Amino acid sequence: MSMREAVAAFVHDGATVAIEGFTHLVPTAAGHEIIRQGRKDLTVVRMTADIVVDQMIAAGCVSRLVSSFVGNSSAGSLGELRRRIERADPEPLAFEEYSHYGMVCRYLAGSQRLPFYPLRSYGGSDLPGVNSDLRKVTSPYPGPDGEPEQIYVVPPVNPEVTIIHAQRADRRGNTQIWGLTGIQAEAVYAAEKAIVVVEEVVEDEVVRSDPNRTLVPSHAVDAVVVCPRGAHPSFAQGYYDRDNAFYRAWSRISKDPGRLREWLAEWVYGTADHAEYVAKLGEDVWAGLAVGEALSEPVNYGRRL
């Protein structure tokens, strides 16, 4: 599908939408299309709520955020998100906070259709004081000291749709990722529907030649969208580098509500699609983000003689 078709088909007002990619392969272009289509009242689930989430909040798409980290990826703050949470300016944003591992466990529970997932890392933490969904249950097995044990659990998350970005897929949706991977596969399995945005679609034989890189199989995918450079300003290993200058600039842009809205008007609403956004950035930017080859060694999977 095109990005426009995929968002129209699977992202609806009021939906819970997971947008995953841990620093690497952030589905920015998908977030921009959600903004263009004017989606409202979304619950966005994202482990590392970053620039694209800030933009979606500023555009009025998001009423609730579920996350374990908010920030501009080591380059500063997210101005719109901070205004919403700290001052309810221009209106409040509901925020559910978890640890990174807590979010991983929520996706694991969701993907396995479990009622909850246990973890020890909230012991001694003050997070349960700000999130009532972090609860304790009595383990059916004795603890390390042989006595009954109370252990924290988190609820599953089952989004209506999960959106991920990846390097490549075949036409059936067998999706391959390499480099820094996050929780993309589990986020896809947890969802009712899944949109996979890729740098390129390749022939079946390419995927079959290296099957261990297939993190998401075709049966879990509902739409494949080809969108080169669709993760900018994050990076796609082997395709383009992270745009650190953009991350630094975003802190200044998002600090000023008027400037932020001008940016959205020019770069998102003012572009018909991501191809126009890419062209508008200009070849000098892309030349600066170009990467050279760093080929992996071939693997002999062997075949029957």
Side-chain angles (χ1 to χ4, degrees):
M1 292 182 173
S2 69
M3 187 76 79
R4 185 179 293 111
E5 291 168 336
V7 168
F10 298 114
V11 182
H12 306 296
D13 289 354
T16 297
V17 182
I19 299 175
E20 284 303 340
F22 194 83
T23 303
H24 177 222
L25 297 171
V26 177
T28 307
H32 288 176
E33 184 57 31
I34 290 170
I35 292 171
R36 289 189 192 97
Q37 295 195 19
R39 293 295 178 266
K40 302 292 183 185
D41 196 29
L42 300 179
T43 293
V44 169
V45 182
R46 176 157 173 70
M47 282 183 61
T48 52
D50 51 5
I51 285 177
V52 69
V53 173
D54 208 29
Q55 293 167 353
M56 292 172 68
I57 293 169
C61 300
V62 183
S63 60
R64 177 175 295 272
L65 175 64
V66 182
S67 183
S68 51
F69 166 89
V70 293
N72 185 5
S73 301
S74 78
S77 280
L78 302 176
E80 186 72 16
L81 187 147
R82 291 193 63 169
R83 286 187 289 275
R84 298 292 181 101
I85 292 177
E86 294 175 357
R87 305 195 301 272
D89 176 22
E91 58 187 18
L93 173 72
F95 179 45
E96 296 179 27
E97 184 178 4
Y98 292 84
S99 64
H100 273 338
Y101 186 57
M103 287 293 294
V104 168
C105 290
R106 291 201 67 192
Y107 280 126
L108 288 170
S111 65
Q112 298 173 45
R113 301 306 190 262
L114 294 172
F116 55 79
Y117 207 94
L119 68 167
R120 295 188 183 278
S121 58
Y122 286 132
S125 164
D126 58 3
L127 267 177
V130 299
N131 187 341
S132 61
D133 280 342
L134 306 180
R135 303 176 187 178
K136 283 185 175 180
V137 299
T138 302
S139 170
Y141 304 103
D145 59 1
E147 297 298 318
E149 181 180 18
Q150 291 280 300
I151 190 163
Y152 276 104
V153 296
V154 292
V157 60
N158 293 110
E160 275 93 339
V161 60
T162 287
I163 305 173
I164 65 170
H165 196 97
Q167 279 103 332
R168 68 189 184 197
D170 63 22
R171 285 172 174 78
R172 293 177 176 84
N174 293 298
T175 304
Q176 297 194 326
I177 296 175
W178 58 92
L180 179 62
T181 58
I183 198 71
Q184 289 99 316
E186 291 79 4
V188 165
Y189 293 139
E192 295 175 13
K193 301 292 183 180
I195 300 171
V196 172
V197 185
V198 294
E199 293 294 319
E200 60 177 332
V201 166
V202 296
E203 297 300 325
D204 295 358
E205 290 73 19
V206 175
V207 171
R208 290 173 181 165
S209 72
D210 197 0
N212 280 41
R213 293 198 202 280
T214 304
L215 264 65
V216 178
S218 60
H219 64 77
V221 176
D222 296 279
V224 177
V225 175
V226 182
C227 186
R229 298 170 170 174
H232 178 271
S234 73
F235 67 107
Q237 191 75 44
Y239 290 77
Y240 47 90
D241 206 349
R242 173 183 150 116
D243 191 344
N244 291 307
F246 187 99
Y247 280 92
R248 290 191 295 270
W250 186 254
S251 291
R252 298 188 296 274
I253 294 168
S254 65
K255 186 176 181 178
D256 181 339
R259 188 175 177 187
L260 194 162
R261 280 153 183 78
E262 288 174 359
W263 188 93
L264 287 174
E266 179 180 357
W267 289 91
V268 182
Y269 296 115
T271 55
D273 53 26
H274 194 70
E276 281 196 17
Y277 171 93
V278 166
K280 186 176 176 65
L281 281 169
E283 282 307 313
D284 287 347
V285 168
W286 293 110
L289 301 177
V291 294
E293 284 191 343
L295 299 176
S296 64
E297 290 296 321
V299 174
N300 183 3
Y301 281 96
R303 63 180 179 180
R304 187 172 295 157
L305 296 174

